[in-house]
Each structure stands twice: as C-alpha cells, then as structure tokens.
Amino acid sequence: MALLCFYRYDFFMKKLIFIISLSFIITSCGTDSSSGSGTDGLNSTDHRVFVTSTTTNGNLGGLTGADEFCQGVAEDAGLKRTYKAILGDSSTSASDADRLEFSGSIYMIDASGGDTLIASTGSDLWATESSSQDLLAAIDLDESGNTITATPWTGSDSEGAIYTNGHCSDWSSTSGEGVIGSNAAQDGSWLEFQPNGSCGNSYPLYCISQ
C-alpha cells in the first residue's frame, strides 16, 4: 500500500510540474519579447515612421495640431506610442532636436509586421542632401503598413532646415504655399520635392514615434 501511494504521489507531482511548465510556455509565447517597453512592432529604443493615409489642408493648427493629427491617425490604427509630424515652420525646423528626439534607428513596419530600415540614426534623416547618405528605403507605407504614394507636407528644405515662406503661415491658413516632399524619394526630395504646394490642397503628413 505504501508503495502504491508513493507511485501515485510521484505521478501527481510530475503531472503538476508539467502543467506549471506548460502554463509558463503559453504565457511566454503571448508576451512581447521586445526589450523595455517595445511596442508598435519595434524595440523601445527604435522609432516607427509612416505616411498618413488621410490628408489635410495647410490649416493644421500649427505644429501642435500637426502632432495631434499624427497621433489621431496612429491611435485609429491601433498604435500605442506618441507620434509627431516631421514638419517645420517659420521658427522651428523639422530637424530641431527639441522637437523630435531620437534614441535609435528608424523603421517602417508593413502590414505583416515586417520591418524595413529607413535610417540608422535620426541624424541620417537630415543628411540626404549634403552627403551621399540617402535614406535606406523610401517611406512608402502608411500607419497600417500598406503601400502609399504621396507628397506629404514638410515645410522644410532638403536637410530638415527652415524653409522661408513654405509653411502655410505656420500651418494656420489655407492661403499661400507650403513645401511638400515625395515619399517615393530616398534623396533630399523626400523632404523638399516642391516648394509651392497650395495650402488649400490636402496632403498627408510624415509621422514618427518618439
């Protein structure tokens, strides 16, 4: 009888260990393996960039309104991070370090979750005109990872610097002109494709996570 009880106890313990182990495996498989607070398909130190599938005229409500536009588009697509517009006005350049902060590489994420490296560092975004360093790929995916061809508002020259009178009165007017880029480009024209986009027309924005 003692031997039978021992075998039953041993069987019970092995079964219990198996159940605990299986539970751990299932929990691990359902957890994001990205480091830190990695979300939106990337590690926490990297950044996701996209072109909005929706468009807007030049009356954005300033840079703050542009950032809110990006954030709204991102949230509608189920993204979790804070997003800002790659956009400049008469006093703040698109490349202003106080506006856009970078800690790692910049990627696009397609609809299947695959990533494409755009630039290894934030500074590489602004070096496409003054150096031989083009973007590593064109920014041609929207917030859901679908391919899009567009000319986004940028209000910027080809190096991310301030462009005089190319920002729809600091993004508060449908009168005048604003600089637009080409999201099919990998050189400086990704930011400065045409300087005279009509502020009454509707174009998308480039948005990037912080």
Side-chain angles (χ1 to χ4, degrees):
M1 178 64 70
L3 185 60
L4 179 60
C5 289
F6 172 80
Y7 282 131
R8 285 179 176 175
Y9 175 80
D10 184 61
F11 174 78
F12 172 79
M13 291 303 295
K14 288 180 178 179
K15 186 174 182 180
L16 181 61
I17 291 171
F18 173 77
I19 292 172
I20 293 172
S21 299
L22 182 62
S23 176
F24 176 78
I25 291 170
I26 292 172
T27 302
S28 298
C29 289
T31 302
D32 186 356
S33 61
S34 300
S35 64
S37 58
T39 51
D40 296 358
L42 294 172
N43 292 331
S44 58
T45 55
D46 294 326
H47 305 270
R48 179 168 178 164
V49 66
F50 62 81
V51 178
T52 61
S53 61
T54 53
T55 61
T56 175
N57 60 38
N59 187 7
L60 282 159
L63 295 180
T64 299
D67 293 341
E68 291 173 352
F69 184 87
C70 279
Q71 188 65 34
V73 169
E75 290 178 359
D76 287 346
L79 303 181
K80 304 299 184 183
R81 295 190 181 186
T82 297
Y83 286 82
K84 289 189 173 184
I86 300 178
L87 192 69
D89 63 14
S90 64
S91 59
T92 305
S93 68
S95 61
D96 192 320
D98 291 330
R99 172 164 171 71
L100 298 180
E101 299 180 6
F102 296 101
S103 59
S105 300
I106 296 95
Y107 292 86
M108 290 186 303
I109 306 294
D110 64 30
S112 66
D115 60 67
T116 299
L117 182 64
I118 299 298
S120 297
T121 65
S123 60
D124 287 346
L125 291 174
W126 324 121
T128 54
E129 184 68 23
S130 60
S131 73
S132 59
Q133 178 64 59
D134 288 348
L135 297 181
L136 300 178
I139 305 172
D140 59 0
L141 297 180
D142 67 13
E143 65 278 2
S144 298
N146 300 314
T147 302
I148 185 172
T149 301
T151 52
W153 293 117
T154 65
S156 173
D157 77 0
S158 57
E159 297 176 338
I162 292 173
Y163 194 103
T164 304
N165 298 325
H167 39 75
C168 300
S169 299
D170 288 339
W171 308 110
S172 65
S173 176
T174 55
S175 298
E177 298 176 339
V179 182
I180 54 176
S182 169
N183 84 317
Q186 292 176 240
D187 61 11
S189 59
W190 80 272
L191 283 171
E192 184 187 355
F193 179 59
Q194 291 181 4
N196 56 351
S198 172
C199 296
N201 291 343
S202 288
Y203 299 107
L205 295 177
Y206 290 116
C207 305
I208 192 162
S209 66
Q210 296 295 280

